[in-house]
């Protein structure tokens, strides 16, 4: 039997219209109804808004969580099951839901509070660097205060995070093929998120994490575990810690994964995996049409 991993994308993968085609499915309509009671607004309405409300962080994180959870549920309803799960940043919450660590409503409440707290942290900057010398980059980060490696996405793509001055200083002192400022409100996945993370911890403390049904690769510790308490500890440091996606991809071969399915809109993670992992087949489930028969 093919050993399969499911991966869930995070903020940046959202797009207008995502999840709207799922609404007629009974599993989806029930989840959308449950989500509206928690959020106070309709996920399909926000996703279908032509003024791109779905790209406002307060909406982006909850809508991605809901849509990706529904897609995963529809996969499981068609007798598909993962042997391993992982999510990029926000996507880790979907991975934990799919692994049975907490229920849908609990995960959504956590994501909603996470979005609210992260949106209060302003003044930072994030920048994607593509095509660079890693040794040179690490040296510059070490020598520059107030900047960290936020997303270690692959050998050729990272995101740095910190004060605008520090981010610009690092980018100007290394050679890159491309440097792109991200349209975000704060320095996510950095120590600048510490006040928000501390407040979020009080919410997290009140939630019980069950042991996972399948191993989970966490952003801050990309080694597989099913231990609920350990997964909770890893999630505690996610807001201020680096997303170690490059190391998560390395685990696929170490765990003998043969197929990776990206469950969610777009192909951001699939494209990273395609370049980094030879011999692994890829699938993508982002719409009703993509679902297996």
């Amino acid at each position: 039997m093919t050993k399969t991993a499911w991966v869930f994308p995070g903020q940046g993968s959202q797009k207008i219209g995502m999840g709207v085609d799922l609404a007629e499915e009974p599993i989806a309509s029930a989840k959308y109804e449950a989500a509206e009671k928690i959020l106070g607004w309709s996920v399909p309405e926000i996703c279908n808004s032509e003024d791109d409300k779905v790209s406002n962080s307060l909406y982006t994180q909850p809508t991605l969580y809901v849509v990706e959870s529904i897609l995963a549920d529809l996969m499981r309803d068609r007798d598909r099951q993962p042997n391993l799960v992982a999510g990029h940043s926000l996507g880790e919450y979907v991975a934990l839901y799919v692994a049975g660590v907490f229920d849908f409503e609990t995960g959504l409440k956590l994501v909603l509070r996470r979005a609210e707290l992260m949106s209060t942290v302003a003044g930072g900057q994030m920048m994607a660097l593509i095509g660079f010398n890693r040794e040179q980059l690490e040296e510059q980060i070490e020598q520059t205060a107030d900047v960290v490696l936020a997303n270690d996405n692959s050998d050729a793509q990272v995101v740095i995070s910190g004060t605008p001055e520090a981010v610009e200083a690092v980018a100007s002192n290394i050679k890159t093929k491309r440097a792109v400022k991200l349209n975000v409100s704060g320095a996510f996945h950095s120590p600048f998120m510490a006040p928000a993370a501390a407040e979020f911890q009080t919410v997290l403390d009140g939630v019980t994490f069950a042991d996972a049904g399948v191993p989970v690769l966490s952003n801050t510790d990309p080694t597989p575990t099913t231990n609920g308490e350990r997964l909770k500890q890893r999630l505690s440091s996610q807001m201020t810690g680096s997303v170690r996606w490059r190391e998560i991809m390395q685990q696929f071969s170490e765990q003998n994964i043969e197929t990776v399915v990206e469950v969610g809109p777009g192909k951001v993670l699939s494209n990273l995996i395609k370049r980094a992992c030879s011999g692994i087949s890829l699938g993508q489930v982002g719409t009703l049409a993509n679902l297996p028969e």
Side-chain angles (χ1 to χ4, degrees), residues 82-126:
N83 303 105
L84 184 76
V85 292
H88 190 285
S89 192
L90 179 278
E92 185 170 334
Y93 288 80
V94 189
L96 291 169
Y97 161 66
V98 170
V101 174
F102 44 63
D103 62 26
F104 172 78
E105 288 82 2
T106 298
L108 181 55
K109 288 173 185 175
L110 286 173
V111 167
L112 175 61
R113 190 63 186 134
R114 179 184 191 262
E116 290 169 345
L117 288 169
M118 288 177 72
S119 69
T120 66
V121 182
Q125 185 171 298
M126 299 181 78

Side-chain angles (χ1 to χ4, degrees), residues 218 220-221 223 225 230-238:
S218 303
T220 59
D221 186 344
T223 54
T225 187
R230 195 170 300 145
L231 288 166
K232 187 176 184 177
Q233 290 168 358
R234 292 177 176 184
L235 198 63
S236 294
S237 58
Q238 195 219 53

Side-chain angles (χ1 to χ4, degrees), residues 181-238:
K181 290 181 186 177
L182 302 187
N183 184 23
V184 294
S185 59
F188 302 155
H189 295 292
S190 82
F192 289 95
M193 300 303 296
E199 194 166 342
F200 184 67
Q201 186 63 46
T202 63
V203 181
L204 207 53
D205 286 342
V207 178
T208 300
F209 277 42
D211 288 344
V214 295
V216 181
L217 300 174
S218 303
N219 286 193
T220 59
D221 186 344
T223 54
T225 187
T226 58
N227 183 281
E229 194 54 42
R230 195 170 300 145
L231 288 166
K232 187 176 184 177
Q233 290 168 358
R234 292 177 176 184
L235 198 63
S236 294
S237 58
Q238 195 219 53

Side-chain angles (χ1 to χ4, degrees), residues 2-113:
T2 302
K3 200 169 181 185
T4 303
W6 289 4
V7 297
F8 304 92
Q11 202 161 340
S13 292
Q14 74 279 355
K15 55 185 177 182
I16 294 172
M18 69 176 188
V20 176
D21 61 329
L22 308 174
E24 298 304 313
E25 295 287 317
I27 287 173
S29 60
K31 282 285 194 301
Y32 284 145
E33 188 176 332
E36 189 164 354
K37 289 177 181 176
I38 292 168
L39 299 170
W41 44 265
S42 162
V43 169
E45 282 181 19
I46 292 296
C47 289
N48 214 30
S49 173
E50 289 300 323
D51 57 358
D52 200 22
K53 283 184 181 176
V54 74
S55 288
N56 177 323
S57 284
L58 284 171
Y59 294 126
T60 306
Q61 295 187 33
T63 54
L64 279 172
Y65 173 84
V66 172
V67 170
E68 291 177 17
S69 297
I70 290 170
L71 287 166
D73 285 346
L74 290 170
M75 291 274 285
R76 293 188 289 192
D77 190 52
R78 288 157 170 77
D79 296 323
R80 301 299 200 275
Q81 294 289 343
N83 303 105
L84 184 76
V85 292
H88 190 285
S89 192
L90 179 278
E92 185 170 334
Y93 288 80
V94 189
L96 291 169
Y97 161 66
V98 170
V101 174
F102 44 63
D103 62 26
F104 172 78
E105 288 82 2
T106 298
L108 181 55
K109 288 173 185 175
L110 286 173
V111 167
L112 175 61
R113 190 63 186 134

Side-chain angles (χ1 to χ4, degrees), residues 166-180:
V167 168
E168 294 286 354
V170 169
S172 63
N173 285 323
I174 63 170
K175 291 181 179 179
T176 62
K177 287 184 179 177
R178 283 181 68 204
V180 182

